[in-house]
Amino acid sequence: MTESASTEAPAERESIGTVIVAGLANLAIAVAKATAGLISGSAGMLSEAAHSVADTVTELLLLTALVRGDRPADDEHPFGYGKSAFFWAFLASMATLVAGAGFAVTHGYHTIRNGEEMGDFTVSYIVLAVSFVLEGISLRRAVRQVRGSAQRLRLRSLAYLRLTPDTSVKAVVAEDTAALIGLGLAGLGLVLTELTGDTFYDGAASVAIGLLLAVVALTLARANVSLLVGQAPSRRWQHAIRRELEADPVIERVLTLNAMFLGPDSVLVAAEVDVSDTATGAQIEASADAAATRLREKYPVIRHVYLDPTGTPPR
């Protein structure tokens, strides 16, 4: 379906690979940044180290989200565990907010107010350059996945990121983009501090990195909360489902249609349909089964379909 990114089940193996690549890159970068930060005394570098630590924790939580959310349905959870993916992704965004943004802002403020003793900047510049390359590799993989999925759905990449319930890919793209911007801010702070001898610029860069992380974390948290409480697919997608149901010769029109994400690759559809007055009970039953089957076959992400044949309400 071209109307929504949610019409195609995300490639789970590809998402897991994207998260693992991002996690390993962030872990290596965190160690390098922390070492450079201790040698140079730079608040910006230490904030970037905290940023990478937060990103590493985030990737672990996102990997947990992918694994736990893919468990099959059971008696206690008849609709599966898909929503647990949104819960773990929400925790990942909170890790970015607390461990990354919180440390960067407070440490930057301390540097602006009290100053800091600066050391050799050479190691920091090298680490920033290497980190930029590694973050770029991680982001490139995520963007390649987004473009591939968007092309299959005939969507622009930004539209796909806005519409997709695959929170893991959305988080990796957002955090890697923020990481590249953060590296630029840290580098700018170091250059200005070295040129002027004033550590204010390094502290200001740290605060800016923290605010950037806060924006990313709160944006992702908002998206995950919306999915947790029962977000519906886009209106265009719902209209497409309605048209598909009303194409059935027995179904005259759809009276009400409700749809909800049960997970990154699972959607529930429930509808009240007005059926033909001349249709028999057997015809109505067969029509409902056929309509549900067509929806599942055309849009594999739709896992549950409930149709309630009813009479036309009085005007």
Side-chain angles (χ1 to χ4, degrees):
M1 180 187 305
T2 60
E3 285 82 356
S4 170
S6 59
T7 60
E8 180 185 63
E12 183 186 355
R13 291 184 179 179
E14 191 175 7
S15 297
I16 290 176
T18 298
V19 170
I20 290 176
V21 169
L24 292 175
N26 285 320
L27 181 60
I29 292 170
V31 174
K33 287 177 179 176
T35 302
L38 292 174
I39 293 175
S40 65
S42 168
M45 287 301 300
L46 291 176
S47 295
E48 274 296 302
H51 179 181
S52 295
V53 170
D55 283 352
T56 302
V57 174
T58 294
E59 309 310 335
L60 290 174
L61 292 172
L62 291 176
L63 187 60
T64 302
L66 289 170
V67 174
R68 295 185 66 84
D70 194 50
R71 289 179 295 171
D74 52 36
D75 292 339
E76 292 185 352
H77 301 85
F79 292 108
Y81 291 80
K83 280 186 176 289
S84 66
F86 304 144
F87 169 73
W88 288 99
F90 172 75
L91 291 184
S93 63
M94 290 298 95
T96 300
L97 181 65
V98 175
F103 177 85
V105 171
T106 55
H107 191 62
Y109 173 76
H110 174 79
T111 299
I112 292 174
R113 187 169 183 178
N114 302 315
E116 60 189 358
E117 184 177 348
M118 304 301 296
D120 186 7
F121 288 0
T122 304
V123 175
S124 295
Y125 291 135
I126 295 174
V127 169
L128 285 175
V130 174
S131 299
F132 196 90
V133 172
L134 293 177
E135 292 286 5
I137 293 173
S138 175
L139 178 61
R140 182 180 179 183
R141 178 187 174 93
V143 169
R144 186 168 61 245
Q145 179 179 347
V146 169
R147 285 178 177 173
S149 298
Q151 287 175 359
R152 287 192 294 270
L153 296 169
R154 300 179 183 177
L155 288 171
R156 295 181 181 274
S157 296
L158 290 178
Y160 175 83
L161 279 175
R162 180 173 57 86
L163 294 171
T164 181
D166 189 348
T167 53
S168 60
V169 173
K170 184 182 297 187
V172 170
V173 171
E175 290 170 357
D176 283 352
T177 301
L180 292 175
I181 298 174
L183 289 170
L185 292 172
L188 179 62
L190 283 176
V191 170
L192 292 176
T193 296
E194 187 173 19
L195 291 176
T196 64
D198 189 349
T199 58
F200 166 82
Y201 298 103
D202 188 50
S206 179
V207 172
I209 292 169
L211 294 178
L212 173 64
L213 290 179
V215 171
V216 171
L218 292 175
T219 300
L220 293 174
R222 180 181 178 183
N224 286 307
V225 167
S226 179
L227 290 165
L228 266 175
V229 300
Q231 179 179 317
S234 68
R235 290 183 179 272
R236 295 180 63 186
W237 187 27
Q238 294 182 56
H239 290 328
I241 296 175
R242 184 184 294 269
R243 290 194 301 269
E244 186 70 26
L245 291 174
E246 291 178 344
D248 189 281
V250 175
I251 298 175
E252 294 189 345
R253 65 191 180 104
V254 176
L255 302 176
T256 61
L257 175 67
N258 295 304
M260 178 179 66
F261 287 113
L262 297 176
D265 61 349
S266 178
V267 170
L268 178 147
V269 174
E272 287 186 346
V273 296
D274 179 24
V275 297
S276 173
D277 293 336
T278 60
T280 65
Q283 288 175 325
I284 293 174
E285 182 179 350
S287 176
D289 289 341
T293 299
R294 286 196 307 273
L295 279 177
R296 294 192 186 98
E297 289 177 349
K298 190 171 184 179
Y299 315 126
V301 74
I302 297 179
R303 302 293 181 86
H304 306 275
V305 181
Y306 299 97
L307 300 181
D308 178 18
T310 184
T312 303
R315 295 184 179 180

